[in-house]
Amino acid sequence: LGDVYKRQNEDIDRIEKEAKLAREGKINLVEKMIASLAPSIHGWKMEKLGLLLALFSGEDQKLPDGTTQRHRIHVAMAGDPSVAKSHLLEFLDQIAPRSNLRSGEGVSGPGLTAAVVKDEGGDWILEAGVLVLADKGYALIDELDKMNPEDRNRFHRAMEQGDIRISKAGINATLNARACVIAAANPKYGKWNRMKTLYEQLDLPPTILSRFDLIFIMLDEPDEEKDEKIFSTIASRWRKDKDYLSPPYDTDFLRKYIVYAKKKIKFVELTKEAEDYLRKFYLSMRKRAMDEETPTLPITPRQAQALIRLAEAHAR
């Protein structure tokens, strides 16, 4: 136990030191974390930042009126095949404190939420699905577009309220499903078409898309400079170069940093200055959406809540 406590104290000292250097402006903590997230994947810095914010998001809170205020951040990655969406999910599964990675193609509605099944003795019992198993963690779902449309509807309540209600075979239960949903999806016709809207591209209903705080469109477009860097990254990984194997933070430290930050900082105050800044940004988003002839996504009060959640995670 002595060695365990020693290593734990060493980890905490290192975390506090990195945070102190960041506050003093001596290091760019965000850039170092982005470089440490899936280092074998070149580019996608904004997408990696969004995934980091989901990892640092807070826990839901009960309001005085009995309703739930969601602090979990949901992220969707959509776009062309072979742009590393699945690889990013696999890496998150390694560093997320508590995660459950599944493919949408092989997950039914009960497999997502919970199923009522008979045990060996013939009694009806509850069997937890992905969202329940990932309670207070991360539900990572690849190929969300492959899921049966009826099964996807079970997402709605879990994503917003953080629970699942079951009423079947004489069993009435409410199960916690307070998971951050991070999903990947491919376009309907195999390749992203810039001339079509988001809704036309994805086989996902607006009721689900509106619950994602961040939606990233990842396109595979020819770019000689970018393609050369991607090939060099792949070659470095193939050769097992030391530079490739030594990102700023290894996966173990990155996981510990996330866990420590979430335990250390339970509450993030929304200051008046931050509120004013976010309000102006939200209003500008609304105005741009209204000015567009064919808006990609409607900007609703859900996006206002998403902005606050993202700011909170960034502060943490």
Side-chain angles (χ1 to χ4, degrees):
L1 286 176
D3 290 339
V4 172
Y5 286 128
K6 182 180 178 182
R7 287 195 299 271
Q8 185 180 42
N9 290 333
E10 289 174 351
D11 290 332
I12 293 174
D13 288 344
R14 185 185 174 195
I15 290 170
E16 294 284 3
K17 181 181 178 182
E18 291 292 301
K20 184 174 183 293
L21 290 173
R23 289 194 297 271
E24 294 173 350
K26 295 179 179 178
I27 63 169
N28 190 323
L29 185 64
V30 174
E31 287 294 330
K32 291 181 74 171
M33 287 195 167
I34 290 174
S36 303
L37 186 74
S40 62
I41 299 173
H42 172 75
W44 306 121
K45 285 189 174 183
M46 190 59 69
E47 288 76 5
K48 290 182 180 182
L49 174 58
L51 295 174
L52 281 168
L53 293 178
L55 292 175
F56 279 91
S57 58
E59 295 182 6
D60 294 354
Q61 295 179 1
K62 287 289 185 181
L63 299 178
D65 62 0
T67 59
T68 300
Q69 182 170 274
R70 173 163 69 90
H71 289 249
R72 293 166 292 127
I73 292 173
H74 302 313
V75 181
M77 296 178 288
D80 296 324
S82 302
V83 291
K85 299 189 298 293
S86 298
H87 194 128
L88 285 168
L89 288 178
E90 290 172 1
F91 188 86
L92 291 179
D93 193 36
Q94 294 180 42
I95 66 168
R98 181 176 182 178
S99 64
N100 201 307
L101 173 62
R102 298 288 180 88
S103 172
E105 190 172 12
V107 179
S108 64
L112 270 176
T113 54
V116 178
V117 297
K118 282 188 176 181
D119 63 8
E120 294 178 356
D123 295 323
W124 292 100
I125 60 171
L126 283 174
E127 190 174 81
V130 175
L131 295 173
V132 176
L133 292 172
D135 181 44
K136 288 192 174 183
Y138 307 85
L140 312 175
I141 303 173
D142 199 5
E143 297 186 325
L144 181 63
D145 54 296
K146 299 289 195 300
M147 197 177 298
N148 185 297
E150 293 181 3
D151 294 338
R152 284 198 301 258
N153 293 336
R154 296 171 182 259
F155 257 138
H156 294 175
R157 182 174 179 85
M159 288 184 71
E160 197 62 35
Q161 302 300 326
D163 62 43
I164 292 165
R165 294 179 178 177
I166 299 292
S167 181
K168 187 177 180 181
I171 294 179
N172 295 293
T174 300
L175 304 175
N176 287 325
R178 297 157 295 184
C180 295
V181 175
I182 303 178
N186 293 319
K188 287 182 184 179
Y189 309 108
K191 186 74 176 175
W192 197 267
N193 187 340
R194 286 181 172 274
M195 303 304 293
K196 294 183 179 293
T197 66
L198 181 67
Y199 292 126
E200 293 173 311
Q201 297 280 351
L202 295 176
D203 192 17
L204 294 170
T207 50
I208 285 183
L209 286 174
S210 67
R211 283 168 166 78
F212 283 103
D213 301 274
L214 292 170
I215 300 176
F216 292 109
I217 307 302
M218 303 170 69
L219 305 179
D220 181 19
E221 297 178 317
D223 182 302
E224 186 173 350
E225 182 179 352
K226 180 182 175 182
D227 292 342
E228 183 178 351
K229 289 180 179 178
I230 290 174
F231 183 84
S232 298
T233 302
I234 294 172
S236 297
R237 181 184 180 188
W238 196 269
R239 291 194 308 267
K240 299 181 180 179
D241 287 351
K242 289 183 179 180
D243 290 341
Y244 160 72
L245 294 171
S246 302
Y249 303 132
D250 58 35
T251 55
D252 188 50
F253 179 75
L254 194 57
R255 184 190 305 109
K256 290 174 180 176
Y257 198 111
I258 294 166
V259 172
Y260 184 73
K262 295 187 73 167
K263 286 185 176 181
K264 182 80 171 178
I265 306 174
K266 291 291 186 181
F267 175 75
V268 177
E269 180 185 359
L270 178 64
T271 64
K272 185 66 170 64
E273 293 79 8
E275 181 183 341
D276 292 341
Y277 183 87
L278 294 174
R279 180 189 296 109
K280 291 177 182 177
F281 187 79
Y282 170 69
L283 293 176
S284 69
M285 288 173 62
R286 289 274 290 183
K287 186 176 185 305
R288 286 201 305 270
M290 291 176 64
D291 292 342
E292 293 178 4
E293 294 183 6
T294 55
T296 304
L297 268 178
I299 304 300
T300 68
R302 275 187 177 157
Q303 278 65 52
Q305 296 176 42
L307 286 173
I308 296 174
R309 281 191 286 267
L310 292 166
E312 176 190 58
H314 197 280
R316 181 175 286 107

